[in-house]
Amino acid sequence: MLQNILDFVFGRLKPSDFVHDPIMAGAGFAMVGALILAIIGLTYFKKWGWLWRNWITSLDPKKIGVMYILVSVIMLLRGLADALLLRAQQATDGSAGLLTSDHFQQIFSAHGSIMIFFVAMGIIFGVFNLIIPSQIGARDVAFPFLNSVSFWLFAAGMILINAPLIVGEFSTAGWLAYPPLSELQYSPGVGVDYWIWSLQIAGIGSLLSGINFFVTILKMRAPGMTLMKMPIFVWSALTSTGLIMFAFPILTATLGMLSLDRLMGMHFFTATGGGNPMMYVNLIWAWGHPEVYILVLPAFGIFSEVVSAFSGKKLFGYTSMVVALLAIAILSFTVWLHHFFTMGAGADVNTFFGIMTMIIAIPTGVKVFNWIFTMYRGRVRFATPMLWFMGFIVTFTLGGLAGVLMSVPPADFQFHNSLFLVAHFHTMIVGGVLFGAFAGFAYWFPKFTGFTLNERLGRYAFWNWIVGFLLAFVPLYILGFMGATRRLDHYDPSMGWQGLFVVAGIGVAIICVGVFFQLLQLGYSIWKRNDNRVGSDPWNGRSFEWSIASPPPEYNFAVIPTVTQRDEFWELKKKKHGSLLKSHYEDIWLPKNSGLGPIIGAFALAFGIAVIWHMWWLLIVGLVGVVVTLIIRLTSDETEEKMTAAEVAKHELKRGIV
Amino acid sequence: MRKEKKRDFRRVKQILISGFIAVIILGILAFVTYGRAIPVLDPKGLIADQERNLILLTFGLGLVIVIPVFIMLFSIAWRYRASNTKARYEPDFANHKGIEALWWGIPCIIILVLGIITAVSTHALDPFKPISSSVQPVKIEAVSLNWRWLFIYPDEGIATMNYINIPKDTPINFMITSDAPMNSFWIPALAGQVYAMSGMSTQLHVMADSTGTFTGSSANISGDGFADMHFKVNSMNEADYKTWATNTFNSTKTTLLTDDSYKKLAVASHDSSQQTFLLMDYSLYNEIIMKYMSPGDSKVNSVDASGTSI
Amino acid sequence: MKNVIEEAAVQQKKTLGFWIYLMTDLVLFASLFATFAVLRGQTFGGPSGHDLFNMPFVLLETMILLTSSFTAGLAILGSNRGYKKQTIFWLFVTFALGAAFLTLELTEFSHLVSEGDGWQRSAFLSSFFTLVGTHGLHIAIGLLWLAVMIIRLIRFKFKQTDLNRLALFALFWHFLDVVWIFIFSIVYLIGGMA
């Protein structure tokens, strides 16, 4: 009787699920400890109200953007800790017994999933939230409440993917969980379910956010800003969100089917019962390859902004850049099969996808040349964003070369699933997305704080990163040639791989020093902020975000600017029309705060927990909760409040004096 | 002016230091790489040899773009540094049809060349394509299990576990399937990999051109013991191979591989020892594939506790 | 309150956003359709679509859903002219027809399951239940939406936001109709062929 009640309440959760080996338990305790500390701190300083009003319930995209970035930074540290463990295990060829094979496999699965979904995606959406509205001359995004829901779904997914540190285990099937390994037959535990539902919940958030920014860009540009007058970062965001709209529903469907296999005994991707695991591999890469471009196109946009601003020059070949973005976006849907040339699809099919893959190199190459030529006849200032740009071109070109090597199917037969492949995509994602994020961080930081980051510490961070990066990944390219496959928790010492693994481990340690300098830079810059105070336009920028105050007011623009040409703000400055302020203000409608976004996130989290642990009552609670909350929101009428013209004038006046 | 000179000097110093660091890194890498086996670049088989050549050719074509990119990047960045006030500054120079046509055009030509190479080589090196040779090929059926490899020699009437013996200069026709999650069959010294999937049969054709022992492995994660899924490939003279095959077949001590003993092998195990068997069921490979194709028809169906056959 | 121009801009965004949402939903269905097309023949010794589908029954379902789409259109016509009673009446009819459709679909499902041809039987049946069921789930969500709207329309005055939402609902309902046509032709007609 008691057992039945327990089973009903807790599903398949047992006390033993809380027991972990020391390393995982340590990480779990650290997370819980940090959380408790944060709670104590908030209570002690009586900051709960502040947190609730100013952040959690805020619908201001700038606030939401900061929260995205914060989550991403924390997840970056988690992913980096995972990487350190993986490297330590392989540097000792597994003989030190640091990690069991099961734990090792959980770590690399978590490392990949976290870095893609909760670091790279989080950064991308964070930057969209912070930059897009002000670059297009808008006060807000198209759907502010939806934006909050997206973030809290992302946060719920983030909690789910970290929960296995405390209760249960994570997937051991790799970051894409190929069946039949990820099916019940081979992975009966909760690990794959954790993977599915953290990605599913965060993925739905990403999809909603993608729609939101797509509509924002199409419908909310300042008067006169035609598509071809948009800043190039906005173009990159438009193509990236366009890709999200087409790619993420495929992920939702695929994860859904895998979950139905596991929950209801269906046979989509099972080895037996007529299921077709190859279908999963096709579907997941039909999402997965565009996903790569979803991440890297905005990084391209950031670099375009940075190189043009720091060269004091127009972006070279704007039209080419736009055409290249569109070409990459469209082509990205025609190459997914290159992730599994080795499945035996036949020479004709492989040839087609191989050549399509190579064709993507053309627009990408054009972008590289245009960036370089943006510096030509410019005045290039090598501030930290520009250092990241230089590092990006070097790593990205090398990684691209490796990519072209792998696009030739017979060559790929030798590279596939080897460490060469691992090195390739890390070169692209670290060198592309992450360096882009760092460049953007240093570039836009003063816009949202009013002071710049310390340059010297930034340079130290950069050099540690770039050296550590080369040390960490060049050995992996060589190891690929030696026949070392990915995801090995141990290997035969006679293979002669250990030296290179040790070098790779040292590389990651140096990257950690780089990250340390970045954190130090952040802390030091905040501490010494009064020494680095800057005005609204520290870099002599080109787009509208530099025309408004730093940090910007909640409404961004007191007066919506009018656009007649590309780089309007830069051209205005040239004509000495530095200020866009006019005395005529109008009423501004701003969304009221809403606690319903985080509540929906909480119910989604409950739903995720329920479906992972088979607590069916909680599943109903979560589902009903989400639906009812949505109905409450959609039937409430007064969701916005007015700031009158007089109030706006008062605000602007106050800022003018400060 | 002097301040700018000083800054330039500091830059030169920085560049020298980074060059020095780069040399140290390269030295370390050379040290830990030197003398190790690099099968992909130092192949021992016909197919891997052609794949190596293809890799080098593609790499060379790629360098045609990569080297100019690096030269342009660093020379332009240096020439137009802010401190160099002598360089021309044209903030509105943003379009040049000729230049842009050049870098849309040149990559297009290179990709065209590479595309033709790809089409030809993909068909020539299709893993399903038999190697034409006057020598009678050896047929081997490879089955990936949890977590080991079973190799069936249907023509010799024997089977091996976690190792293969092959005659050199003889085409080897691998038929590959899986009785486990998806694996990938890879012997870098002989040829690139092909997936091993349950319920299907993929193929790989290789031919060793020298004797020696090479390592093969599963390149695709398949669960807990996946790192142990490596095997040895012993390439030997044809006479030695014949002797080995005949002796194994005739030896009375060789373990029998029946449908029942196969079922025991198919159970997940971390035992990665090398074993040799006498093949009793010549259709075993097909039975293993059939196991996944339709319910209950295969002779090697294992029955789990709940009574459902898997 | 916002002025008319601002309201119109808001509505434009919502309409575009909703169209885009529908398109993403279409991609989701397309994935399920593709899976069904691949797994259609994978009956694993079990029954095929030809053995299972009862075409007159499916035709009845189709007619009901098509009619409900028509009545939803009548409701929109009514709302555009500000005829409250007419609008609510046709919304009720739409709800009833939608509910009838859903009931029929669930009947079909329970019949299949009770015959031992549930989703666990084969890959074909898994993809069938998931594709048709996902459409059914959308219908259920649409009915919930419709119910909330009917209540609001009865209790409050006609408000512009409600009318706008009604237009979006009609869009959703027509969209589900189009998806059903695809299900009818691909799953039942082509999938039911021997």
Side-chain angles (χ1 to χ4, degrees):
Chain A
M1 183 60 198
L2 179 70
Q3 192 55 44
N4 286 344
I5 293 172
L6 284 176
D7 283 350
F8 175 76
V9 175
F10 293 111
R12 53 173 164 169
L13 180 62
K14 306 256 173 328
S16 60
D17 288 317
F18 289 91
V19 180
H20 285 96
D21 68 44
I23 292 177
M24 256 170 115
F29 280 129
M31 284 222 158
V32 173
L35 206 64
I36 290 173
L37 265 182
I39 290 171
I40 292 174
L42 284 166
T43 314
Y44 182 77
F45 293 107
K46 298 197 172 65
K47 287 286 187 188
W48 282 105
W50 165 83
L51 187 70
W52 179 256
R53 278 189 307 275
N54 283 8
W55 294 96
I56 293 177
T57 61
S58 173
L59 299 191
D60 180 356
K62 293 180 285 294
K63 297 269 175 65
I64 291 177
V66 170
M67 291 194 288
Y68 264 115
I69 302 278
L70 186 70
V71 171
S72 302
V73 169
I74 295 170
M75 286 300 99
L76 179 67
L77 297 177
R78 155 94 210 258
L80 195 66
D82 289 342
L84 266 176
L85 283 172
L86 299 176
R87 281 283 143 264
Q89 171 85 358
Q90 289 189 319
T92 54
D93 77 25
S95 57
L98 194 58
L99 305 169
T100 62
S101 63
D102 178 68
H103 190 186
F104 181 85
Q105 293 175 355
Q106 287 187 47
I107 292 177
F108 68 63
S109 305
H111 169 80
S113 313
I114 286 177
M115 286 299 200
I116 294 290
F117 282 90
F118 297 100
V119 179
M121 285 305 270
I123 289 171
I124 295 307
F125 284 123
V127 179
F128 282 1
N129 269 293
L130 289 168
I131 305 300
I132 295 284
S134 54
Q135 274 205 338
I136 61 173
R139 294 191 173 119
D140 204 344
V141 296
F143 312 112
F145 177 71
L146 193 67
N147 199 18
S148 161
V149 172
S150 296
F151 171 75
W152 288 106
L153 289 179
F154 170 79
M158 184 273 289
I159 294 170
L160 274 184
I161 209 166
N162 285 294
L165 287 178
I166 296 155
V167 51
E169 79 234 329
F170 194 63
S171 166
T172 56
W175 80 279
L176 282 185
Y178 276 13
L181 179 61
S182 56
E183 292 284 359
L184 272 188
Q185 188 189 348
Y186 297 110
S187 302
V190 291
V192 176
D193 297 305
Y194 263 123
W195 179 83
I196 291 175
W197 288 100
S198 66
L199 265 56
Q200 187 72 298
I201 290 171
I204 289 171
S206 302
L207 179 59
L208 296 175
S209 206
I211 297 175
N212 203 344
F213 281 98
F214 193 79
V215 176
T216 305
I217 295 171
L218 284 187
K219 284 280 168 199
M220 298 180 69
R221 278 167 288 136
M225 187 184 275
T226 57
L227 287 177
M228 289 309 276
K229 285 179 190 146
M230 297 194 305
I232 198 77
F233 176 71
V234 180
W235 259 112
S236 76
L238 187 68
T239 43
S240 170
T241 50
L243 286 178
I244 289 175
M245 284 151 32
F246 281 100
F248 267 77
I250 307 177
L251 177 73
T252 308
T254 313
L255 291 177
M257 287 188 272
L258 181 62
S259 191
L260 287 172
D261 275 0
R262 294 178 58 85
L263 285 173
M264 298 177 67
M266 289 200 184
H267 289 292
F268 283 106
F269 312 124
T270 51
T272 181
N276 189 339
M278 290 187 296
M279 187 68 199
Y280 177 92
V281 178
N282 274 283
L283 283 171
I284 201 82
W285 283 115
W287 158 79
H289 196 82
E291 165 72 3
V292 176
Y293 288 97
I294 289 166
L295 299 177
V296 90
L297 292 184
F300 286 175
I302 294 174
F303 283 124
S304 303
E305 297 287 328
V306 163
V307 69
S308 142
F310 286 91
S311 301
K313 196 165 159 282
K314 276 185 185 161
L315 181 69
F316 194 85
Y318 178 93
T319 318
S320 273
M321 290 303 235
V322 173
V323 172
L325 279 174
L326 291 171
I328 294 171
I330 293 165
L331 286 171
S332 71
F333 276 102
T334 63
V335 300
W336 78 90
L337 193 128
H338 72 209
H339 296 275
F340 46 96
F341 282 141
T342 50
M343 201 173 256
D348 292 330
V349 175
N350 280 355
T351 303
F352 172 80
F353 283 95
I355 291 177
M356 291 315 283
T357 307
M358 293 167 196
I359 291 176
I360 290 199
I362 297 172
T364 317
V366 167
K367 293 190 81 70
V368 170
F369 284 118
N370 278 339
W371 285 320
I372 294 177
F373 246 63
T374 301
M375 297 191 293
Y376 181 73
R377 293 187 186 166
R379 283 268 183 274
V380 189
R381 289 166 288 160
F382 286 96
T384 32
M386 215 40 205
L387 291 181
W388 291 113
F389 167 77
M390 300 290 284
F392 156 73
I393 298 283
V394 171
T395 54
F396 200 75
T397 312
L398 288 176
L401 178 61
V404 171
L405 284 182
M406 283 191 296
S407 70
V408 183
D412 179 71
F413 297 156
Q414 287 284 33
F415 291 134
H416 186 64
N417 273 347
S418 76
L419 288 173
F420 186 94
L421 168 79
V422 174
H424 160 70
F425 67 69
H426 280 89
T427 318
M428 302 313 257
I429 294 180
V430 177
V433 182
L434 215 51
F435 283 13
F438 294 155
F441 189 73
Y443 178 55
W444 280 307
F445 185 82
K447 175 52 37 193
F448 297 96
T449 55
F451 55 94
T452 54
L453 287 169
N454 183 289
E455 275 289 316
R456 176 179 291 264
L457 288 170
R459 277 203 304 276
Y460 291 169
F462 169 77
W463 285 109
N464 275 296
W465 258 97
I466 198 93
V467 172
F469 177 82
L470 290 174
L471 277 178
F473 293 108
V474 172
L476 298 195
Y477 281 114
I478 303 172
L479 280 165
F481 282 115
M482 290 181 170
T485 53
R486 66 200 289 202
R487 297 166 172 170
L488 293 175
D489 60 282
H490 62 269
Y491 50 86
D492 198 336
S494 69
M495 302 304 288
W497 297 340
Q498 191 168 14
L500 285 161
F501 274 123
V502 170
V503 174
I506 294 170
V508 175
I510 296 177
I511 289 177
C512 288
V513 177
V515 171
F516 168 75
F517 274 119
Q518 284 175 306
L519 296 175
L520 189 68
Q521 178 198 30
L522 186 63
Y524 184 79
S525 306
I526 292 173
W527 183 43
K528 291 276 184 193
R529 60 186 174 279
N530 286 328
D531 300 350
N532 298 324
R533 288 267 177 221
V534 284
S536 62
D537 185 18
W539 313 114
N540 197 4
R542 315 181 64 84
S543 38
F544 279 130
E545 77 268 30
W546 303 110
S547 73
I548 54 179
S550 305
E554 198 189 346
Y555 47 80
N556 284 353
F557 298 90
V559 177
I560 299 288
T562 317
V563 180
T564 55
Q565 56 200 322
R566 227 173 267 157
D567 292 337
E568 175 86 18
F569 179 57
W570 166 267
E571 302 293 340
L572 282 179
K573 280 193 292 190
K574 269 206 307 206
K575 291 182 202 143
K576 307 283 179 224
H577 286 262
S579 165
L580 292 168
L581 297 182
K582 285 173 203 151
S583 53
H584 180 71
Y585 295 118
E586 55 185 4
D587 296 351
I588 294 175
W589 285 92
L590 291 168
K592 281 185 201 162
N593 279 6
S594 167
L596 296 178
I599 290 173
I600 287 179
F603 278 122
L605 178 64
F607 177 85
I609 293 170
V611 77
I612 291 164
W613 290 103
H614 298 179
M615 305 173 187
W616 306 123
W617 62 273
L618 187 62
L619 185 132
I620 293 168
V621 170
L623 212 56
V624 171
V626 169
V627 171
V628 169
T629 319
L630 273 178
I631 291 176
I632 291 173
R633 170 70 191 188
L634 291 173
T635 50
S636 51
D637 290 325
E638 298 300 323
T639 58
E640 291 181 314
E641 57 199 354
K642 186 157 79 176
M643 184 182 262
T644 62
E647 284 170 311
V648 176
K650 220 163 78 186
H651 266 273
E652 289 292 306
L653 199 66
K654 216 163 80 186
R655 287 180 176 278
I657 293 164
V658 172
Chain B
M1 278 311 279
R2 185 183 292 166
K3 201 175 162 196
E4 271 157 17
K5 274 239 175 74
K6 207 169 146 194
R7 204 186 300 161
D8 281 357
F9 175 72
R10 216 177 63 207
R11 289 239 172 80
V12 172
K13 210 172 69 183
Q14 281 168 356
I15 289 168
L16 285 177
I17 292 173
S18 12
F20 184 64
I21 293 175
V23 168
I24 291 179
I25 291 176
L26 287 175
I28 295 172
L29 286 176
F31 175 73
V32 292
T33 311
Y34 184 76
R36 268 65 165 191
I38 308 184
V40 174
L41 295 180
D42 179 26
K44 305 289 185 210
L46 179 76
I47 301 292
D49 197 50
Q50 292 176 24
E51 284 169 347
R52 192 262 323 260
N53 295 345
L54 187 63
I55 289 168
L56 295 181
L57 178 65
T58 315
F59 185 69
L61 276 173
L63 286 184
V64 174
I65 296 287
V66 170
I67 290 173
V69 164
F70 282 178
I71 292 173
M72 277 170 62
L73 175 71
F74 290 110
S75 56
I76 290 178
W78 176 248
R79 170 106 184 105
Y80 296 99
R81 65 197 186 279
S83 56
N84 182 9
T85 45
K86 276 176 282 181
R88 272 169 80 174
Y89 177 47
E90 288 178 30
D92 290 333
F93 177 67
N95 286 296
H96 192 291
K97 290 232 164 58
I99 296 177
E100 283 186 76
L102 199 67
W103 54 60
W104 278 97
I106 293 178
C108 279
I109 294 168
I110 291 175
I111 295 301
L112 185 71
V113 174
L114 200 54
I116 294 167
I117 295 172
T118 301
V120 173
S121 65
T122 306
H123 285 86
L125 295 173
D126 183 0
F128 283 57
K129 198 180 103 181
I131 294 169
S132 59
S133 162
S134 56
V135 186
Q136 179 70 25
V138 169
K139 202 168 147 190
I140 301 177
E141 293 161 341
V143 183
S144 70
L145 305 171
N146 265 348
W147 288 278
R148 40 195 174 177
W149 289 92
L150 176 68
F151 300 99
I152 301 169
Y153 292 72
D155 296 337
E156 328 283 5
I158 56 176
T160 60
M161 173 92 63
N162 289 330
Y163 81 96
I164 1 177
N165 288 350
I166 55 167
K168 85 173 175 100
D169 294 326
T170 307
I172 314 292
N173 299 354
F174 284 108
M175 304 284 283
I176 302 156
T177 192
S178 174
D179 196 0
M182 187 170 84
N183 282 284
S184 195
F185 181 75
W186 189 28
I187 310 166
L190 295 182
Q193 65 198 280
V194 168
Y195 282 163
M197 295 172 283
S198 48
M200 354 192 29
S201 185
T202 49
Q203 299 178 36
L204 184 67
H205 296 85
V206 308
M207 186 157 86
D209 57 19
S210 61
T211 57
T213 297
F214 323 123
T215 304
S217 66
S218 169
N220 197 68
I221 175 90
S222 57
D224 200 36
F226 142 80
D228 294 319
M229 286 186 73
H230 46 79
F231 54 92
K232 290 291 174 210
V233 182
N234 306 308
S235 170
M236 48 185 70
N237 292 318
E238 181 147 17
D240 292 346
Y241 172 76
K242 282 270 158 60
T243 318
W244 167 76
T246 325
N247 285 349
T248 311
F249 186 74
N250 292 332
S251 163
T252 48
K253 284 184 222 150
T254 315
T255 327
L256 303 184
L257 182 61
T258 61
D259 292 341
D260 283 328
S261 65
Y262 171 77
K263 283 184 204 170
K264 290 194 190 103
L265 290 180
V267 174
S269 158
H270 285 273
D271 174 20
S272 55
S273 62
Q274 297 189 348
Q275 295 175 52
T276 313
F277 307 97
L278 188 62
L279 186 63
M280 299 308 284
D281 178 359
Y282 279 61
S283 65
L284 178 61
Y285 183 76
N286 283 331
E287 297 293 341
I288 294 168
I289 293 175
M290 282 312 290
K291 187 174 154 182
Y292 293 94
M293 296 300 280
S294 60
D297 289 352
S298 168
K299 281 190 257 174
V300 291
N301 260 343
S302 40
V303 175
D304 70 11
S306 64
T308 45
S309 58
I310 51 168
Chain C
M1 280 309 289
K2 286 189 163 183
N3 65 36
V4 183
I5 301 168
E6 286 167 336
E7 269 311 329
V10 170
Q11 193 48 36
Q12 266 191 1
K13 282 187 275 183
K14 285 189 178 160
T15 311
L16 178 67
F18 198 75
W19 271 102
I20 292 174
Y21 151 71
L22 289 182
M23 208 192 56
T24 60
D25 221 6
L26 203 61
V27 177
L28 183 117
F29 274 111
S31 313
L32 295 178
F33 272 114
T35 312
F36 177 81
V38 169
L39 298 179
R40 180 169 85 87
Q42 303 300 316
T43 54
F44 204 64
S48 68
H50 182 69
D51 306 328
L52 294 179
F53 299 148
N54 178 354
M55 286 318 283
F57 188 83
V58 180
L59 203 62
L60 178 67
E61 280 183 297
T62 309
M63 294 323 290
I64 290 176
L65 198 65
L66 287 181
T67 315
S68 82
S69 208
F70 179 67
T71 55
L74 289 178
I76 294 296
L77 281 181
S79 78
N80 283 346
R81 294 180 191 158
Y83 300 156
K84 191 169 170 179
K85 270 188 191 150
Q86 186 188 339
T87 309
I88 291 172
F89 172 73
W90 286 117
L91 286 181
F92 260 119
V93 175
T94 309
F95 187 91
L97 288 170
F101 170 85
L102 204 57
T103 315
L104 286 180
E105 189 167 295
L106 290 175
T107 314
E108 187 197 10
F109 280 7
S110 66
H111 174 73
L112 285 174
V113 172
S114 65
E115 298 280 301
D117 299 324
W119 49 80
Q120 297 172 321
R121 181 65 190 85
S122 70
F124 155 67
L125 280 165
S126 301
S127 62
F128 165 79
F129 274 100
T130 305
L131 175 53
V132 178
T134 305
H135 177 268
L137 186 67
H138 279 73
I139 293 282
I141 293 169
L143 290 178
L144 186 66
W145 185 358
L146 190 54
V148 173
M149 255 179 349
I150 291 175
I151 293 170
R152 267 177 76 85
L153 287 178
I154 292 174
R155 280 187 52 191
F156 306 109
K157 271 199 209 146
F158 259 35
K159 270 193 204 153
Q160 190 58 40
T161 47
D162 286 316
L163 297 184
N164 292 337
R165 277 188 193 150
L166 203 56
L168 295 185
F169 167 78
L171 212 56
F172 184 65
W173 204 248
H174 296 324
F175 163 79
L176 291 182
D177 222 24
V178 172
V179 172
W180 179 258
I181 305 257
F182 277 104
I183 290 179
F184 180 70
S185 12
I186 292 176
V187 175
Y188 289 102
L189 282 183
I190 300 175
M193 283 192 295

